[in-house]
Amino acid sequence: MSDCIFCKLANGEIPTNTVYEDENYRVIMDANPANPGHALVLPKKHGKDIFELDSDTVAGAHAVAKKVAEAAVEVLKADGVNILQNNGEAAGQTVSHFHIHVIPRFKKDWPAMPLHQAAVTEEETKKICADLAAAIK
Ligand code: 5GP
Ligand code: ZN
């Protein structure tokens, strides 16, 4: 998909903070993080949502999300992690290329905060990105 921003990010056409990459996936830092360390798992293959992608690609994306969640607990000392995946405008999907949100959560967030943009500097994001990248097994 030549006009898809996440295709360009996933396939390295546009450089971005990368937490993890393998043959089929790239994990990037969300540009408007709901919390420090908010990451997005992007398949390199285009499919606009879960319905358009084959199950192996969807399952593989969740296996990658698990690795990132484990790194977030280890590195950021997250008390919990939200793994979210929106399909369609009605479900809150704003970018039409399947992606999984991995959002570190902390006890201080309680009572459960609605997701909104956190104040995280580019420098903090770069540091977190590098620390997570190093922790992913
Ligand atoms: P959705 O609402 O579709 O589930 O989530 C889209 C997410 O992608 C949002 O959290 C938004 O901040 C993030 N996002 C949108 N455009 C970009 C971009 O160009 N770069 C990065 N890193 N994140 C983006
Ligand atoms: Zn795409």
Side-chain angles (χ1 to χ4, degrees):
M1 281 276 290
S2 57
D3 60 345
C4 173
I5 178 80
F6 277 12
C7 276
K8 292 189 171 86
L9 291 166
N11 291 289
E13 272 179 63
I14 299 175
T16 190
N17 290 314
T18 295
V19 173
Y20 173 85
E21 182 182 8
D22 64 23
E23 193 186 345
N24 299 312
Y25 304 95
R26 182 188 295 268
V27 181
I28 67 173
M29 304 308 290
D30 195 291
N32 305 290
N35 247 356
H38 181 170
L40 301 172
V41 180
L42 312 181
K44 293 185 176 180
K45 179 196 283 188
H46 182 84
K48 75 175 163 59
D49 55 24
I50 200 165
F51 307 112
E52 238 187 54
L53 270 186
D54 59 279
S55 293
D56 284 351
T57 301
V58 171
H62 283 86
V64 172
K66 175 171 159 66
K67 288 175 188 280
V68 178
E70 287 168 348
V73 169
E74 183 183 326
V75 173
L76 302 175
K77 310 299 177 207
D79 301 306
V81 180
N82 287 126
I83 296 181
L84 308 174
Q85 200 272 305
N86 301 325
N87 297 284
E89 204 177 329
Q93 186 176 12
T94 58
V95 179
S96 295
H97 176 122
F98 176 95
H99 52 279
I100 300 175
H101 296 258
V102 180
I103 307 174
R105 300 297 293 264
F106 302 89
K107 286 185 180 163
K108 67 178 174 50
D109 297 340
W110 295 355
M113 66 170 191
L115 298 180
H116 59 79
Q117 187 171 347
V120 186
T121 66
E122 177 64 15
E123 196 182 345
E124 287 172 319
T125 296
K126 280 196 185 309
K127 164 91 171 69
I128 289 167
C129 180
D131 290 350
L132 289 175
I136 291 179
K137 286 133 191 133

